[in-house]
Amino acid sequence: MITIRDLIRILDAKVLCGEDKLDEEVRSACGSDLMSDVLAFVKDKALLITGLTNVHVMRTAEMLDIHCVVFARGKIPSDEVLEEANEVGVCVLSTEHTSYVACGLLYAAGIPGTSKRTGA
């Protein structure tokens, strides 16, 4: 089992909010800046890697039971986005890695992606 705490080590990430969620399990990951693709492919207990830093990311995370969002390329979302993350119970991390490298590191650590549509 891989937890959000493990992700911090794997991605050399920093926690921006949701410190109380670090022991939650992550079953799969998705890297995308298109929330429509996230809606089509992501399942519960997933991790989202993105460079998109607007509030729509948190709303998508809430709809899909995404426990953790990682902002790539060192991006830091606005206070509004972090407040929304706290309200919906999402842990937010930031990593200096690009989305491509972050996805590769997570895949190498044993976190699978999703290849089948969810039907959403």
Side-chain angles (χ1 to χ4, degrees):
M1 174 178 87
I2 294 180
T3 65
I4 295 172
R5 188 177 308 279
D6 298 322
L7 302 176
I8 295 166
R9 179 185 47 78
I10 294 165
L11 298 174
D12 192 25
K14 53 186 171 180
V15 180
L16 303 179
C17 73
E19 291 86 358
D20 59 324
K21 309 249 181 264
L22 299 183
D23 294 317
E24 290 190 11
E25 179 183 12
V26 175
R27 293 185 185 163
S28 64
C30 173
S32 183
D33 289 343
L34 293 172
M35 294 304 105
S36 58
D37 283 352
V38 176
L39 288 167
F41 285 96
V42 172
K43 297 178 176 139
D44 67 333
K45 296 193 189 276
L47 158 73
L48 173 61
I49 302 113
T50 187
L52 190 64
T53 59
N54 65 40
V55 73
H56 299 296
V57 173
M58 293 309 140
R59 292 187 182 134
T60 302
E62 179 183 26
M63 289 172 53
L64 297 174
D65 194 28
I66 291 173
H67 291 223
C68 183
V69 173
V70 177
F71 290 105
R73 301 184 308 275
K75 290 192 173 186
I76 306 291
S78 68
D79 289 341
E80 175 190 12
V81 172
L82 293 175
E83 287 171 17
E84 182 75 17
N86 275 323
E87 286 180 24
V88 300
V90 173
C91 180
V92 177
L93 307 178
S94 178
T95 182
E96 293 294 326
H97 294 296
T98 64
S99 294
Y100 180 79
V101 170
C103 289
L105 289 169
L106 295 170
Y107 188 81
I111 300 174
T114 57
S115 58
K116 295 185 180 176
R117 287 190 173 272
T118 62

